[in-house]
Amino acid sequence: MARNIQSLERAAAMLRLLAGGERRLGLSDIASSLDLAKGTAHGILRTLQAEGFVEQDETSGRYQLGAELLRLGTTYLDVHELRARALVWTDDLARSSGESVHLGVLHQHGVLIVHHVFRPDDSRQVLEIGAMQPLHCTALGKVLSAYDPVAHSEALESDRKAFTDRTVCELEAFEQLLDVTRARGYAADVEETWEGVASIAAPIHDRRRMPVGAVGITGAVERLCRPDEEGALRPELIAAVRDCARAVSRDLGAGRF
């Protein structure tokens, strides 16, 4: 049996590490996370940087995924039917809501962001295509966990880490959240993953009426939530997200939901 090439395995692990969690990581963080000597980690990073797969911030010295990796990934994503069908509808959702839009699918025990539309203002934003989000606390993740049996099993088997004081980690409470998600047709995340940030997501189904992804908006709590009731999301934004999900589902052949 052919043996795996260790340097390639380490490079792949490094790219996965940079794709999740913090957007930028220092050499020490990367080396310790992957149990590598600093010299070994630096050599791999230098090679990935030379090929354009990794970039280093000049000010902080920290590393992040590079444009070449995004270009290669986009080649795949351009032929991904879900993303192709969602392009127009997610653009419309960003314009109507004024918030950033994410399209996510189940991947490696988490949510892989396969499309990201920037918030339509002049603020500085980071493209998050290829980023991973947890299943148990993000709106996208809760939608997938509620409607996709595989995602549900993976969410139950995961660590369900607490990111903020509002994160629901206990199994029974989490299952109740999924019941609520299925009953109302959308999921919410109000400061469960990031302080000061809220999100709303709804499921997308294919022609077999199987869940194939989720679409959602993310923004500041004060913009997504009603000022007169703490933690209550604005109903017009919920409706906009659900309408977008239904439209993409119809384009995938799911019919009316």
Side-chain angles (χ1 to χ4, degrees):
M1 180 182 293
R3 297 177 60 187
N4 293 342
I5 301 174
Q6 188 180 56
S7 58
L8 291 179
E9 289 181 332
R10 289 172 170 174
M14 200 168 286
L15 292 173
R16 291 192 188 99
L17 179 66
L18 291 170
E22 297 280 341
R23 291 196 180 96
R24 293 190 179 96
L25 294 174
L27 174 60
S28 297
D29 298 326
I30 294 170
S32 61
S33 295
L34 300 178
D35 197 23
L36 296 174
K38 280 189 179 181
T40 302
H42 185 255
I44 296 172
L45 284 167
R46 190 170 61 243
T47 301
L48 291 172
Q49 186 178 0
E51 296 297 327
F53 296 139
V54 164
E55 296 174 356
Q56 186 177 24
D57 182 73
E58 293 182 1
T59 303
S60 66
R62 291 175 171 264
Y63 295 89
Q64 65 182 21
L65 294 180
E68 180 63 16
L69 190 66
L70 177 61
R71 186 188 67 80
L72 291 177
T74 302
T75 301
Y76 162 73
L77 292 173
D78 281 343
V79 299
H80 192 293
E81 185 180 7
L82 172 60
R83 181 177 182 271
R85 297 287 186 179
L87 288 176
V88 172
W89 300 112
T90 51
D91 283 349
D92 287 347
L93 179 58
R95 282 193 294 269
S96 65
S97 67
E99 302 296 342
S100 62
V101 178
H102 296 89
L103 184 70
V105 298
L106 177 66
H107 180 69
Q108 292 185 350
H109 307 285
V111 183
L112 174 67
I113 304 302
V114 297
H115 186 52
H116 175 199
V117 184
F118 282 165
R119 185 172 61 255
D121 60 19
D122 296 328
S123 62
R124 184 176 180 181
Q125 300 173 64
V126 177
L127 189 65
E128 296 182 14
I129 294 176
M132 294 290 292
Q133 293 186 3
L135 285 169
H136 69 287
C137 56
T138 61
L140 292 172
K142 283 188 274 189
V143 161
L144 292 174
S145 299
Y147 287 89
D148 184 336
V150 176
H152 181 234
S153 296
E154 293 184 355
L156 297 187
E157 294 168 2
S158 69
D159 186 28
R160 294 194 299 279
K161 169 185 172 183
F163 290 89
T164 73
D165 292 341
R166 294 174 178 259
T167 307
V168 176
C169 303
E170 197 274 327
L171 180 57
E172 184 176 350
F174 178 66
E175 288 280 35
Q176 289 174 353
L177 273 180
L178 299 187
D179 289 340
V180 170
T181 297
R182 285 185 286 266
R184 64 189 184 183
Y186 72 92
D189 165 12
V190 180
E191 296 188 285
E192 292 180 47
T193 313
W194 300 281
E195 297 284 353
V197 177
S199 58
I200 307 165
I204 296 171
H205 297 80
D206 67 6
R207 60 183 59 86
R208 299 166 300 163
R209 300 215 166 189
M210 297 293 291
V212 293
V215 64
I217 60 173
T218 301
V221 169
E222 57 266 26
R223 296 197 304 268
L224 266 66
C225 293
R226 295 167 50 180
D228 58 335
E229 188 176 347
E230 183 179 357
L233 295 162
R234 289 168 53 192
E236 67 272 21
L237 294 179
I238 295 171
V241 172
R242 296 193 68 193
D243 287 346
C244 177
R246 291 191 192 102
V248 179
S249 297
R250 285 195 299 269
D251 275 6
L252 288 170
R256 293 186 62 85
F257 265 83

